[in-house]
Coordinates of all heavy atoms in Angstrom, one line a residue:
M20 N 0.8 -1.2 0.0 CA 0.0 0.0 0.0 C 0.9 1.3 0.0 O 0.5 2.2 -0.6 CB -0.9 0.0 1.2 CG -2.1 -0.8 1.1 SD -3.2 0.0 0.0 CE -4.7 -0.1 0.9
S21 N 2.0 1.2 0.7 CA 2.8 2.4 0.7 C 3.4 2.7 -0.6 O 3.8 3.9 -0.9 CB 3.9 2.3 1.8 OG 4.8 1.2 1.5
D22 N 3.5 1.7 -1.5 CA 4.1 1.9 -2.8 C 3.2 2.8 -3.7 O 3.7 3.4 -4.6 CB 4.4 0.6 -3.5 CG 5.5 -0.1 -2.8 OD1 6.3 0.5 -2.1 OD2 5.6 -1.4 -2.9
E23 N 1.9 2.7 -3.5 CA 0.9 3.4 -4.3 C 1.1 5.0 -4.2 O 0.8 5.7 -5.1 CB -0.5 3.0 -4.0 CG -0.8 1.6 -4.4 CD -2.2 1.3 -4.0 OE1 -3.1 2.1 -4.0 OE2 -2.5 0.1 -3.8
F24 N 1.4 5.4 -3.0 CA 1.4 6.9 -2.7 C 2.7 7.5 -2.8 O 2.9 8.7 -2.4 CB 0.8 7.1 -1.3 CG -0.7 6.7 -1.2 CD1 -0.9 5.5 -0.5 CD2 -1.7 7.4 -1.8 CE1 -2.3 5.1 -0.4 CE2 -3.0 6.9 -1.7 CZ -3.3 5.8 -1.0
E25 N 3.7 6.8 -3.4 CA 5.0 7.4 -3.5 C 5.1 8.5 -4.6 O 5.8 9.5 -4.5 CB 6.0 6.3 -3.9 CG 6.4 5.4 -2.8 CD 7.4 4.4 -3.2 OE1 8.2 4.7 -4.2 OE2 7.5 3.3 -2.6
F26 N 4.2 8.4 -5.6 CA 4.3 9.4 -6.7 C 3.2 10.4 -6.7 O 2.8 10.9 -7.8 CB 4.3 8.6 -8.0 CG 5.4 7.6 -8.2 CD1 5.2 6.3 -8.1 CD2 6.7 8.1 -8.4 CE1 6.3 5.4 -8.2 CE2 7.8 7.2 -8.5 CZ 7.5 5.9 -8.4
T27 N 2.6 10.7 -5.6 CA 1.5 11.7 -5.5 C 1.9 13.1 -6.0 O 1.1 13.8 -6.5 CB 0.9 11.7 -4.1 OG1 1.9 12.0 -3.2 CG2 0.2 10.4 -3.8
D28 N 3.1 13.5 -5.7 CA 3.6 14.8 -6.0 C 4.1 14.9 -7.5 O 4.2 15.9 -8.0 CB 4.8 15.2 -5.1 CG 4.3 15.4 -3.7 OD1 3.1 15.7 -3.5 OD2 5.1 15.3 -2.8
K29 N 4.4 13.7 -8.1 CA 4.9 13.7 -9.4 C 3.8 13.3 -10.4 O 3.4 12.2 -10.5 CB 6.0 12.7 -9.5 CG 7.2 13.0 -8.6 CD 8.2 12.0 -8.7 CE 9.4 12.3 -7.8 NZ 10.4 11.2 -7.7
V30 N 3.3 14.4 -11.1 CA 2.2 14.2 -12.0 C 2.8 14.1 -13.4 O 3.6 14.9 -13.8 CB 1.1 15.3 -11.9 CG1 0.1 15.1 -13.0 CG2 0.6 15.4 -10.5
P31 N 2.4 13.1 -14.2 CA 2.9 13.1 -15.6 C 2.6 14.4 -16.4 O 1.6 15.0 -16.1 CB 2.2 11.9 -16.2 CG 1.7 11.1 -15.1 CD 1.5 12.0 -14.0
L32 N 3.4 14.7 -17.3 CA 3.2 16.0 -18.0 C 2.0 16.0 -18.9 O 1.5 17.1 -19.2 CB 4.4 16.2 -19.0 CG 5.8 16.5 -18.3 CD1 6.9 16.6 -19.3 CD2 5.7 17.8 -17.4
S33 N 1.4 14.9 -19.2 CA 0.3 14.8 -20.1 C -1.0 15.0 -19.4 O -2.1 15.0 -20.0 CB 0.3 13.5 -20.9 OG 0.2 12.4 -20.1
F34 N -1.0 15.0 -18.1 CA -2.3 15.1 -17.3 C -2.4 16.4 -16.5 O -1.4 16.8 -15.9 CB -2.5 13.9 -16.4 CG -2.7 12.6 -17.2 CD1 -1.6 11.7 -17.3 CD2 -3.9 12.3 -17.7 CE1 -1.8 10.6 -18.0 CE2 -4.1 11.1 -18.4 CZ -3.0 10.3 -18.6
D35 N -3.5 16.9 -16.4 CA -3.8 18.1 -15.6 C -4.2 17.6 -14.2 O -4.8 16.6 -14.0 CB -4.9 18.9 -16.2 CG -5.1 20.3 -15.5 OD1 -4.3 20.6 -14.6 OD2 -6.0 21.0 -15.9
R36 N -3.8 18.4 -13.1 CA -4.1 18.0 -11.8 C -5.6 18.2 -11.5 O -6.1 17.7 -10.5 CB -3.3 18.9 -10.8 CG -1.9 18.5 -10.8 CD -1.1 19.4 -9.8 NE 0.3 19.2 -9.8 CZ 0.9 18.6 -8.8 NH1 0.3 18.4 -7.7 NH2 2.2 18.4 -8.9
L37 N -6.3 19.0 -12.3 CA -7.7 19.3 -11.9 C -8.7 18.2 -12.3 O -9.8 18.1 -11.7 CB -8.2 20.6 -12.7 CG -7.4 21.8 -12.3 CD1 -7.9 23.0 -13.1 CD2 -7.6 22.1 -10.8
G38 N -8.3 17.3 -13.2 CA -9.3 16.3 -13.5 C -8.8 15.4 -14.6 O -7.6 15.1 -14.7
N39 N -9.7 15.1 -15.5 CA -9.3 14.2 -16.6 C -8.9 14.9 -17.9 O -8.9 14.3 -19.0 CB -10.5 13.3 -16.9 CG -10.8 12.3 -15.8 OD1 -10.0 12.0 -15.0 ND2 -12.1 12.0 -15.6
K40 N -8.6 16.2 -17.8 CA -8.2 16.9 -19.0 C -6.8 16.5 -19.4 O -5.9 16.5 -18.6 CB -8.3 18.4 -18.7 CG -9.7 18.9 -18.4 CD -9.6 20.4 -18.2 CE -11.0 20.9 -17.8 NZ -11.0 22.3 -17.4
I41 N -6.6 16.3 -20.6 CA -5.3 15.9 -21.1 C -4.7 17.1 -21.8 O -5.3 17.8 -22.6 CB -5.4 14.7 -22.2 CG1 -5.9 13.5 -21.5 CG2 -4.0 14.5 -22.8 CD1 -6.2 12.3 -22.4
I42 N -3.5 17.4 -21.4 CA -2.7 18.5 -22.0 C -1.7 17.9 -23.0 O -0.9 17.1 -22.6 CB -2.0 19.4 -21.0 CG1 -3.0 20.0 -20.0 CG2 -1.2 20.5 -21.6 CD1 -2.3 20.7 -18.8
Y43 N -1.8 18.3 -24.2 CA -0.9 17.7 -25.2 C 0.3 18.6 -25.3 O 0.3 19.8 -25.6 CB -1.6 17.6 -26.6 CG -2.7 16.7 -26.6 CD1 -4.1 17.1 -26.6 CD2 -2.5 15.3 -26.7 CE1 -5.1 16.2 -26.6 CE2 -3.5 14.4 -26.7 CZ -4.8 14.8 -26.6 OH -5.9 14.0 -26.6
Q44 N 1.5 18.0 -25.1 CA 2.7 18.7 -25.2 C 3.3 18.5 -26.6 O 4.0 17.5 -26.9 CB 3.7 18.1 -24.2 CG 3.2 18.2 -22.7 CD 3.6 19.5 -22.1 OE1 4.5 20.2 -22.5 NE2 2.8 19.8 -21.1
T45 N 3.0 19.5 -27.5 CA 3.5 19.4 -28.8 C 4.3 20.6 -29.1 O 4.1 21.6 -28.5 CB 2.3 19.3 -29.8 OG1 1.5 20.4 -29.7 CG2 1.5 18.0 -29.6
E46 N 5.1 20.4 -30.1 CA 6.0 21.6 -30.5 C 5.2 22.4 -31.5 O 4.2 22.0 -32.2 CB 7.2 21.1 -31.2 CG 8.1 20.3 -30.3 CD 9.4 19.8 -31.0 OE1 9.6 20.3 -32.1 OE2 10.0 18.9 -30.5
A47 N 5.5 23.7 -31.6 CA 4.9 24.6 -32.5 C 5.2 24.2 -34.0 O 6.3 24.0 -34.3 CB 5.4 26.0 -32.3
K48 N 4.1 24.0 -34.8 CA 4.3 23.6 -36.1 C 4.3 24.7 -37.1 O 4.3 24.5 -38.3 CB 3.2 22.6 -36.5 CG 3.3 21.3 -35.7 CD 2.2 20.4 -36.1 CE 2.3 19.1 -35.3 NZ 1.2 18.2 -35.6
G49 N 4.2 25.9 -36.7 CA 4.2 27.1 -37.6 C 2.8 27.8 -37.5 O 2.1 27.6 -36.5
F50 N 2.6 28.7 -38.4 CA 1.3 29.5 -38.3 C 0.1 28.6 -38.8 O 0.2 27.7 -39.6 CB 1.4 30.7 -39.2 CG 2.4 31.7 -38.7 CD1 3.6 32.0 -39.4 CD2 2.1 32.5 -37.6 CE1 4.5 32.9 -38.9 CE2 3.0 33.4 -37.1 CZ 4.1 33.7 -37.8
N51 N -1.0 29.0 -38.2 CA -2.3 28.4 -38.6 C -2.6 28.9 -40.1 O -2.4 30.1 -40.4 CB -3.3 28.9 -37.7 CG -4.7 28.3 -37.9 OD1 -4.8 27.5 -38.8 ND2 -5.7 28.7 -37.2
P52 N -3.0 28.0 -41.0 CA -3.2 28.4 -42.4 C -4.3 29.5 -42.5 O -4.3 30.4 -43.3 CB -3.7 27.1 -43.0 CG -3.1 26.0 -42.2 CD -3.0 26.6 -40.8
G53 N -5.3 29.4 -41.6 CA -6.4 30.4 -41.6 C -5.8 31.8 -41.2 O -6.2 32.8 -41.8
L54 N -4.8 31.8 -40.3 CA -4.2 33.1 -40.0 C -3.4 33.7 -41.1 O -3.4 34.9 -41.4 CB -3.3 32.9 -38.8 CG -2.5 34.1 -38.3 CD1 -3.5 35.1 -37.7 CD2 -1.5 33.7 -37.2
I55 N -2.7 32.8 -41.9 CA -2.0 33.2 -43.0 C -2.9 33.9 -44.1 O -2.6 34.9 -44.6 CB -1.2 32.1 -43.6 CG1 -0.1 31.7 -42.6 CG2 -0.6 32.5 -45.0 CD1 0.7 30.4 -43.1
V56 N -4.0 33.2 -44.3 CA -5.0 33.7 -45.3 C -5.5 35.1 -44.8 O -5.7 36.0 -45.6 CB -6.1 32.7 -45.5 CG1 -7.3 33.3 -46.3 CG2 -5.6 31.5 -46.2
L57 N -5.9 35.2 -43.6 CA -6.4 36.4 -43.0 C -5.4 37.5 -43.1 O -5.7 38.7 -43.5 CB -6.8 36.2 -41.5 CG -7.4 37.4 -40.8 CD1 -8.8 37.6 -41.4 CD2 -7.5 37.1 -39.4
L58 N -4.1 37.2 -42.9 CA -3.1 38.3 -43.0 C -2.9 38.7 -44.4 O -2.7 39.9 -44.7 CB -1.8 37.8 -42.4 CG -1.7 37.6 -40.8 CD1 -0.4 36.9 -40.4 CD2 -1.9 38.9 -40.2
V59 N -2.9 37.8 -45.3 CA -2.7 38.1 -46.8 C -3.8 39.0 -47.3 O -3.6 40.0 -47.9 CB -2.5 36.8 -47.6 CG1 -2.6 37.2 -49.1 CG2 -1.2 36.2 -47.3
V60 N -5.1 38.6 -47.0 CA -6.3 39.3 -47.4 C -6.3 40.7 -46.8 O -6.6 41.7 -47.4 CB -7.5 38.5 -47.1 CG1 -8.8 39.4 -47.4 CG2 -7.6 37.3 -48.0
G61 N -6.0 40.7 -45.5 CA -5.9 42.0 -44.8 C -4.9 42.9 -45.3 O -5.1 44.1 -45.5
G62 N -3.7 42.4 -45.6 CA -2.6 43.2 -46.2 C -3.0 43.7 -47.6 O -2.7 44.9 -47.9
L63 N -3.6 42.9 -48.4 CA -4.1 43.3 -49.7 C -5.1 44.4 -49.6 O -5.1 45.4 -50.4 CB -4.6 42.2 -50.6 CG -3.5 41.1 -51.0 CD1 -4.2 40.0 -51.7 CD2 -2.5 41.8 -52.0
L64 N -6.0 44.3 -48.7 CA -7.1 45.3 -48.6 C -6.5 46.6 -48.1 O -6.8 47.7 -48.6 CB -8.1 44.8 -47.6 CG -9.3 45.7 -47.3 CD1 -10.1 45.9 -48.6 CD2 -10.2 45.2 -46.2
L65 N -5.6 46.5 -47.1 CA -4.9 47.7 -46.6 C -4.1 48.4 -47.7 O -4.2 49.6 -47.9 CB -4.0 47.4 -45.4 CG -3.4 48.5 -44.7 CD1 -4.5 49.4 -44.0 CD2 -2.4 48.0 -43.7
T66 N -3.4 47.6 -48.5 CA -2.6 48.2 -49.6 C -3.5 48.9 -50.6 O -3.2 50.0 -51.1 CB -1.8 47.1 -50.3 OG1 -1.0 46.4 -49.3 CG2 -1.0 47.6 -51.4
F67 N -4.7 48.2 -50.9 CA -5.6 48.8 -51.9 C -6.2 50.2 -51.4 O -6.2 51.1 -52.1 CB -6.8 47.8 -52.1 CG -7.9 48.3 -52.9 CD1 -7.7 48.4 -54.3 CD2 -9.1 48.7 -52.4 CE1 -8.8 48.9 -55.1 CE2 -10.1 49.2 -53.2 CZ -10.0 49.3 -54.5
L68 N -6.6 50.2 -50.1 CA -7.1 51.4 -49.5 C -6.1 52.6 -49.5 O -6.3 53.7 -49.8 CB -7.7 51.2 -48.1 CG -8.9 50.3 -48.1 CD1 -9.3 50.0 -46.7 CD2 -10.1 50.9 -48.9
V69 N -4.8 52.2 -49.0 CA -3.8 53.2 -49.0 C -3.4 53.7 -50.4 O -3.3 54.9 -50.6 CB -2.5 52.7 -48.3 CG1 -1.3 53.6 -48.4 CG2 -2.9 52.4 -46.8
G70 N -3.4 52.8 -51.4 CA -3.1 53.2 -52.7 C -4.2 54.1 -53.3 O -3.9 55.1 -54.0
N71 N -5.4 53.8 -53.0 CA -6.5 54.7 -53.5 C -6.4 56.1 -52.9 O -6.6 57.1 -53.5 CB -7.9 54.1 -53.1 CG -8.3 53.1 -54.2 OD1 -7.8 53.1 -55.3 ND2 -9.3 52.3 -53.9
Y72 N -6.1 56.2 -51.6 CA -5.9 57.5 -50.9 C -4.8 58.3 -51.5 O -4.9 59.5 -51.8 CB -5.7 57.3 -49.4 CG -5.5 58.6 -48.7 CD1 -6.5 59.5 -48.5 CD2 -4.2 59.0 -48.3 CE1 -6.3 60.7 -47.9 CE2 -4.0 60.2 -47.7 CZ -5.0 61.0 -47.5 OH -4.8 62.2 -46.9
V73 N -3.7 57.6 -51.8 CA -2.5 58.3 -52.4 C -2.9 58.8 -53.8 O -2.6 60.0 -54.1 CB -1.3 57.4 -52.4 CG1 -0.2 57.9 -53.3 CG2 -0.8 57.1 -51.0
L74 N -3.5 58.0 -54.6 CA -3.9 58.4 -56.0 C -4.9 59.6 -55.9 O -4.9 60.5 -56.7 CB -4.5 57.2 -56.7 CG -3.5 56.2 -57.2 CD1 -4.2 55.0 -57.9 CD2 -2.5 56.8 -58.2
Y75 N -5.9 59.5 -55.0 CA -6.9 60.5 -54.8 C -6.2 61.9 -54.4 O -6.5 62.9 -55.0 CB -7.9 60.1 -53.8 CG -8.9 61.2 -53.5 CD1 -10.0 61.5 -54.4 CD2 -8.9 62.0 -52.3 CE1 -10.9 62.5 -54.1 CE2 -9.8 63.0 -52.1 CZ -10.8 63.2 -53.0 OH -11.7 64.2 -52.7
S76 N -5.3 61.8 -53.5 CA -4.7 63.1 -53.0 C -3.8 63.6 -54.2 O -3.7 64.9 -54.4 CB -3.9 62.9 -51.8 OG -2.9 61.9 -52.0
Y77 N -3.1 62.8 -54.9 CA -2.3 63.2 -56.0 C -3.2 63.8 -57.1 O -2.8 64.9 -57.7 CB -1.5 62.0 -56.6 CG -0.7 62.4 -57.9 CD1 0.4 63.1 -57.8 CD2 -1.1 61.9 -59.1 CE1 1.2 63.4 -58.9 CE2 -0.4 62.3 -60.3 CZ 0.7 63.0 -60.1 OH 1.5 63.3 -61.2
A78 N -4.3 63.2 -57.4 CA -5.2 63.8 -58.5 C -5.8 65.1 -58.0 O -6.0 66.0 -58.9 CB -6.3 62.8 -58.7
Q79 N -6.1 65.3 -56.8 CA -6.6 66.5 -56.3 C -5.6 67.7 -56.5 O -6.0 68.8 -56.7 CB -7.0 66.4 -54.8 CG -8.2 65.6 -54.5 CD -9.5 66.1 -55.1 OE1 -9.7 67.4 -55.1 NE2 -10.3 65.3 -55.6
K80 N -4.4 67.4 -56.3 CA -3.3 68.4 -56.4 C -3.0 68.7 -57.9 O -2.7 69.9 -58.2 CB -2.1 68.0 -55.7 CG -2.2 67.9 -54.2 CD -0.9 67.4 -53.6 CE -1.0 67.1 -52.2 NZ 0.1 66.5 -51.6
T81 N -3.0 67.7 -58.8 CA -2.5 68.0 -60.1 C -3.5 68.2 -61.2 O -3.3 68.9 -62.1 CB -1.6 66.8 -60.5 OG1 -2.4 65.6 -60.5 CG2 -0.4 66.6 -59.6
L82 N -4.7 67.5 -61.1 CA -5.7 67.7 -62.2 C -6.4 69.0 -62.1 O -6.7 69.5 -61.0 CB -6.7 66.5 -62.1 CG -6.1 65.1 -62.4 CD1 -7.2 64.1 -62.2 CD2 -5.6 65.1 -63.8
P83 N -6.7 69.6 -63.2 CA -7.5 70.8 -63.2 C -9.0 70.5 -62.7 O -9.4 69.4 -62.9 CB -7.5 71.3 -64.6 CG -7.2 70.1 -65.4 CD -6.4 69.2 -64.6
P84 N -9.7 71.5 -62.2 CA -11.0 71.3 -61.8 C -11.9 70.9 -63.1 O -11.6 71.3 -64.2 CB -11.5 72.6 -61.2 CG -10.5 73.6 -61.7 CD -9.2 72.9 -62.0
R85 N -12.9 70.2 -62.8 CA -13.8 69.7 -63.9 C -14.6 70.9 -64.5 O -15.0 71.8 -63.8 CB -14.8 68.7 -63.4 CG -14.1 67.4 -62.9 CD -15.1 66.4 -62.4 NE -15.8 65.8 -63.5 CZ -16.8 65.0 -63.3 NH1 -17.2 64.7 -62.2 NH2 -17.4 64.4 -64.4
K86 N -14.8 70.9 -65.8 CA -15.6 71.9 -66.4 C -17.1 71.7 -66.1 O -17.6 70.6 -66.0 CB -15.4 71.9 -67.9 CG -14.0 72.2 -68.4 CD -13.9 72.2 -69.9 CE -12.5 72.6 -70.3 NZ -12.4 72.5 -71.8
K87 N -17.8 72.8 -65.9 CA -19.2 72.8 -65.7 C -19.9 72.5 -67.0 O -19.5 72.9 -68.1 CB -19.7 74.1 -65.1 CG -19.2 74.3 -63.7 CD -19.7 75.6 -63.1 CE -19.2 75.9 -61.8 NZ -19.6 77.2 -61.2
K88 N -21.1 71.8 -66.9 CA -21.8 71.6 -68.1 C -22.4 72.9 -68.6 O -22.8 73.8 -67.8 CB -23.0 70.7 -67.8 CG -22.6 69.2 -67.5 CD -23.8 68.4 -67.3 CE -23.4 66.9 -67.1 NZ -24.6 66.1 -66.8
P89 N -22.5 73.1 -69.9 CA -23.1 74.4 -70.4 C -24.6 74.4 -70.1 O -25.3 73.4 -70.2 CB -22.8 74.3 -71.9 CG -22.6 72.8 -72.2 CD -22.0 72.2 -71.0
I90 N -25.0 75.6 -69.7 CA -26.4 75.8 -69.4 C -27.2 76.1 -70.7 O -26.7 76.9 -71.5 CB -26.6 76.9 -68.4 CG1 -25.8 76.6 -67.1 CG2 -28.1 77.1 -68.0 CD1 -25.8 77.7 -66.1
S91 N -28.3 75.5 -70.8 CA -29.1 75.8 -72.0 C -29.7 77.2 -72.0 O -29.8 77.8 -70.9 CB -30.3 74.8 -72.2 OG -31.2 75.0 -71.2
K92 N -30.0 77.8 -73.2 CA -30.5 79.1 -73.2 C -31.8 79.3 -72.5 O -32.1 80.3 -71.9 CB -30.7 79.5 -74.7 CG -29.4 79.7 -75.4 CD -29.6 80.1 -76.9 CE -28.3 80.2 -77.6 NZ -28.5 80.6 -79.0
K93 N -32.6 78.2 -72.5 CA -33.9 78.2 -71.9 C -33.8 78.4 -70.3 O -34.4 79.2 -69.7 CB -34.6 76.9 -72.2 CG -36.1 76.9 -72.0 CD -36.7 75.6 -72.5 CE -38.2 75.7 -72.6 NZ -38.8 74.5 -73.1
K94 N -32.8 77.6 -69.8 CA -32.6 77.7 -68.3 C -32.0 79.0 -68.0 O -32.3 79.6 -66.9 CB -31.6 76.6 -67.9 CG -32.2 75.2 -67.8 CD -31.3 74.2 -67.3 CE -31.9 72.8 -67.2 NZ -31.0 71.8 -66.7
M95 N -31.1 79.6 -68.8 CA -30.5 80.9 -68.5 C -31.6 81.9 -68.5 O -31.6 82.8 -67.7 CB -29.4 81.2 -69.6 CG -28.5 82.3 -69.2 SD -27.2 82.7 -70.4 CE -26.7 81.1 -71.0
K96 N -32.5 81.8 -69.4 CA -33.6 82.8 -69.5 C -34.5 82.7 -68.2 O -34.8 83.8 -67.7 CB -34.5 82.5 -70.8 CG -35.5 83.6 -71.1 CD -36.1 83.2 -72.4 CE -37.1 84.3 -72.9 NZ -37.7 83.9 -74.2
K97 N -34.8 81.5 -67.8 CA -35.6 81.4 -66.5 C -34.8 82.0 -65.3 O -35.4 82.6 -64.5 CB -35.8 79.9 -66.3 CG -37.0 79.3 -67.0 CD -37.2 77.9 -66.6 CE -38.4 77.3 -67.3 NZ -38.7 75.9 -66.9
E98 N -33.5 81.7 -65.2 CA -32.8 82.3 -64.1 C -32.7 83.8 -64.1 O -32.9 84.4 -63.1 CB -31.3 81.7 -64.1 CG -31.2 80.3 -63.7 CD -29.8 79.8 -63.7 OE1 -28.9 80.6 -63.6 OE2 -29.6 78.5 -63.7
R99 N -32.6 84.4 -65.3 CA -32.6 85.8 -65.4 C -33.9 86.4 -65.0 O -34.0 87.5 -64.3 CB -32.2 86.3 -66.8 CG -30.7 86.1 -67.0 CD -30.4 86.7 -68.4 NE -29.0 86.5 -68.7 CZ -28.4 86.7 -69.8 NH1 -29.1 87.1 -70.8 NH2 -27.1 86.5 -70.0
L100 N -35.0 85.7 -65.4 CA -36.4 86.2 -65.0 C -36.6 86.1 -63.5 O -37.2 87.0 -62.9 CB -37.4 85.4 -65.8 CG -37.6 85.7 -67.2 CD1 -38.6 84.8 -67.9 CD2 -38.0 87.2 -67.5
K101 N -36.0 85.1 -62.9 CA -36.2 84.9 -61.4 C -35.4 86.1 -60.7 O -35.9 86.5 -59.7 CB -35.6 83.6 -61.0 CG -36.5 82.4 -61.2 CD -35.8 81.1 -60.7 CE -36.7 79.9 -61.0 NZ -36.0 78.7 -60.6
Q102 N -34.3 86.5 -61.3 CA -33.5 87.5 -60.6 C -34.0 88.9 -60.9 O -33.6 89.9 -60.3 CB -32.0 87.4 -61.1 CG -31.3 86.2 -60.6 CD -29.9 86.1 -61.2 OE1 -29.5 86.9 -62.0 NE2 -29.2 85.0 -60.8
G103 N -34.9 89.0 -61.8 CA -35.5 90.3 -62.1 C -34.9 91.0 -63.3 O -35.2 92.2 -63.6
V104 N -33.9 90.4 -64.0 CA -33.3 91.0 -65.1 C -34.0 90.5 -66.4 O -34.1 89.3 -66.6 CB -31.8 90.6 -65.2 CG1 -31.1 91.2 -66.4 CG2 -31.1 91.0 -63.8
S105 N -34.4 91.4 -67.2 CA -35.1 91.0 -68.4 C -34.1 90.5 -69.4 O -33.0 91.0 -69.5 CB -35.9 92.2 -69.0 OG -35.0 93.2 -69.4
A106 N -34.5 89.5 -70.1 CA -33.7 88.9 -71.1 C -33.6 89.9 -72.3 O -34.5 90.6 -72.6 CB -34.3 87.6 -71.6
P107 N -32.4 89.9 -73.0 CA -32.3 90.8 -74.1 C -33.3 90.5 -75.3 O -33.5 89.3 -75.5 CB -30.8 90.6 -74.6 CG -30.4 89.2 -74.0 CD -31.3 89.1 -72.8
G108 N -33.8 91.5 -75.8 CA -34.8 91.3 -76.9 C -36.2 91.2 -76.5 O -37.1 91.0 -77.3
E109 N -36.5 91.5 -75.2 CA -37.8 91.5 -74.7 C -38.3 92.8 -74.3 O -37.6 93.6 -73.8 CB -38.0 90.5 -73.6 CG -37.9 89.1 -74.0 CD -38.3 88.1 -72.8 OE1 -38.6 88.6 -71.7 OE2 -38.2 86.9 -73.0

């Protein structure tokens, strides 16, 4: 009987002291494939967004402002009447 209790302080590495839970002692095998995919997709998305911002800021500095659409004579006549200025020829 005394032989059974000699190893009470020495618990094998594969067992937890709290119960029947087994702790697997394995070496690190590298990154999780899901993590690699997540990092690659996140990196590509971040690169895309930063590139768009850089192109947008460059275009704002270098490109001339857009030309306005020409206003038709009919609309111009209406606007002048609203302002109280008579159109020429009336």
Side-chain angles (χ1 to χ4, degrees):
M20 280 286 230
S21 64
D22 292 338
E23 290 180 30
F24 298 106
E25 285 182 23
F26 300 108
T27 55
D28 293 337
K29 299 177 183 176
V30 177
L32 294 176
S33 61
F34 293 101
D35 188 3
R36 288 178 183 248
L37 298 177
N39 294 332
K40 297 179 184 176
I41 297 174
I42 300 173
Y43 294 104
Q44 302 274 336
T45 58
E46 295 180 16
K48 294 181 180 178
F50 289 111
N51 184 2
L54 179 64
I55 293 173
V56 170
L57 184 67
L58 289 174
V59 168
V60 170
L63 290 173
L64 182 65
L65 186 65
T66 304
F67 176 75
L68 293 174
V69 170
N71 275 344
Y72 176 74
V73 169
L74 286 174
Y75 175 76
S76 60
Y77 176 74
Q79 290 294 323
K80 291 177 187 175
T81 57
L82 293 176
R85 297 178 74 184
K86 293 181 180 179
K87 294 181 181 178
K88 290 183 177 178
I90 302 174
S91 67
K92 291 180 182 179
K93 201 174 192 180
K94 285 185 180 178
M95 198 181 315
K96 192 174 183 182
K97 277 186 180 179
E98 286 183 20
R99 286 186 182 169
L100 287 175
K101 282 182 185 177
Q102 293 176 359
V104 178
S105 63
E109 288 187 2

